[in-house]
Amino acid sequence: MKLGFAMPHLLRLKATCQPWEAAVTGADQTRLAKWAEKLGYAMISVPEHHIIPRAHLELSGPHYFSAYPTMAYLAGATERIRVNSCIAILPAQHPIVTAKALSSIDWLSGGRVTVTFGVGWLKEEFDLLGVPFHERGAMSEEYIQAIIELWTKEEPQFEGRYVSFRDVAFEPKPVQSPHVPVWFGGDADPVLKRVGRYASGWWPFLTEPEDIPARLEFIRSQPDYAGRLTEVFYGFATSRVGEGHAVRDDPRARPGMTKQEIIDRLGWFSELGVTISSVPIPQIQHIQEYFDYTQWVAEEIMPAIA
């Protein structure tokens, strides 16, 4: 079992965030990224929304980064730790732009990029971006095909309803082979089928932990399953976030858990098929306490779940 590093103040989600996080600055996050790498955490993952309608502020909060520039910055501030998104909204921008952004980061970082795509859920955000919300699934299907074509073919070409290209050159290619690892986040059947066709990782959000084995079986039982799925991310805080970012109570994933409680829950996750997780941010008052806590996790928890 690997542990991702829960970076404070990448969002201000009511269900998971604590007041002290809002004071964490970009400079603090840079120090924390270097600290996470030193301690041996596996990856830092960046949530993404481009704009939040005011009606969603109470639950979602206003504070989100654009995933790819943030991943690039964190990769540039470090040397070994992987960077990911959780999630990047695939239909929100043209796939050529997405492919170029991710291959650029992968090339510059020496192959440390994973990307978790999502189709998006916030209709008002799509309306503001001028992206047809009810076509986001079909768009995502074409976009991922086009992105992989650009990443892997010397003479890429693609003909679709939403994107077409031929007689083009595309470099740099990703350093990683055959391409940047692609994960998908989400829980609906079409998402899981897309995981099976294209992805090496799945990031569930609304799936209950005990339902993960059945959903993995669903993915692997599809007739077009490509056989690449090896990673499943399920964080402690995942079960505290409901649909539309609603707040859910889960005493099994609360701040302040003991060492043995954390180890036991991670062991259970592993039995369910989870390969990477992150422990809850503790109830503390200041960023320095978070440096201490993440060191405690690295020293006390990581050896027990290796």
Side-chain angles (χ1 to χ4, degrees), residues 95-209:
I96 293 175
V97 177
T98 296
K100 179 65 76 170
L102 290 165
S103 64
S104 298
I105 305 168
D106 199 61
W107 194 88
L108 288 165
S109 68
R112 290 189 285 130
V113 173
T114 299
V115 62
T116 304
F117 289 126
V119 300
W121 62 273
L122 186 52
K123 182 179 183 300
E124 297 92 329
E125 182 177 19
F126 278 71
D127 294 342
L128 290 164
L129 294 172
V131 177
F133 180 74
H134 296 294
E135 298 177 37
R136 69 195 190 284
M139 294 174 70
S140 294
E141 187 70 18
E142 272 197 18
Y143 281 17
I144 186 58
Q145 293 175 15
I147 288 168
I148 292 173
E149 177 77 8
L150 290 165
W151 281 345
T152 59
K153 300 295 179 59
E154 289 305 315
E155 298 182 4
Q157 56 182 323
F158 188 84
E159 189 68 35
R161 177 183 175 189
Y162 301 101
V163 57
S164 299
F165 50 80
R166 64 176 59 250
D167 299 322
V168 297
F170 181 93
E171 290 189 21
K173 303 292 188 186
V175 170
Q176 298 177 88
S177 180
H179 52 69
V180 168
V182 171
W183 299 3
F184 278 96
D187 309 272
D189 286 358
V191 172
L192 300 190
K193 292 177 181 180
R194 199 169 293 122
V195 169
R197 285 192 292 272
Y198 306 110
S200 60
W202 174 43
W203 195 314
F205 289 103
L206 299 177
T207 300
E208 297 293 340

Side-chain angles (χ1 to χ4, degrees), residues 278-300:
S278 61
V279 299
I281 291 180
Q283 289 180 326
I284 57 177
Q285 302 298 321
H286 191 271
I287 187 175
Q288 188 53 51
E289 295 178 73
Y290 193 54
F291 278 92
D292 296 339
Y293 175 76
T294 50
Q295 181 173 355
W296 175 79
V297 169
E299 293 176 351
E300 298 292 331

Side-chain angles (χ1 to χ4, degrees), residues 231-269:
E231 301 281 9
V232 178
F233 190 110
Y234 200 94
F236 276 49
T238 303
S239 58
R240 304 203 332 251
V241 184
E243 190 168 357
H245 291 164
V247 179
R248 300 172 62 193
D249 180 39
D250 185 351
R252 302 170 301 172
R254 69 190 187 280
M257 295 174 72
T258 66
K259 172 183 173 179
Q260 195 58 50
E261 286 175 324
I262 293 172
I263 292 170
D264 289 346
R265 188 161 176 82
L266 290 171
W268 181 53
F269 282 173

Side-chain angles (χ1 to χ4, degrees), residues 52-65:
I52 299 294
R54 189 160 295 279
H56 291 269
L57 281 181
E58 181 184 358
L59 295 178
S60 298
H63 182 87
Y64 293 87
F65 293 93

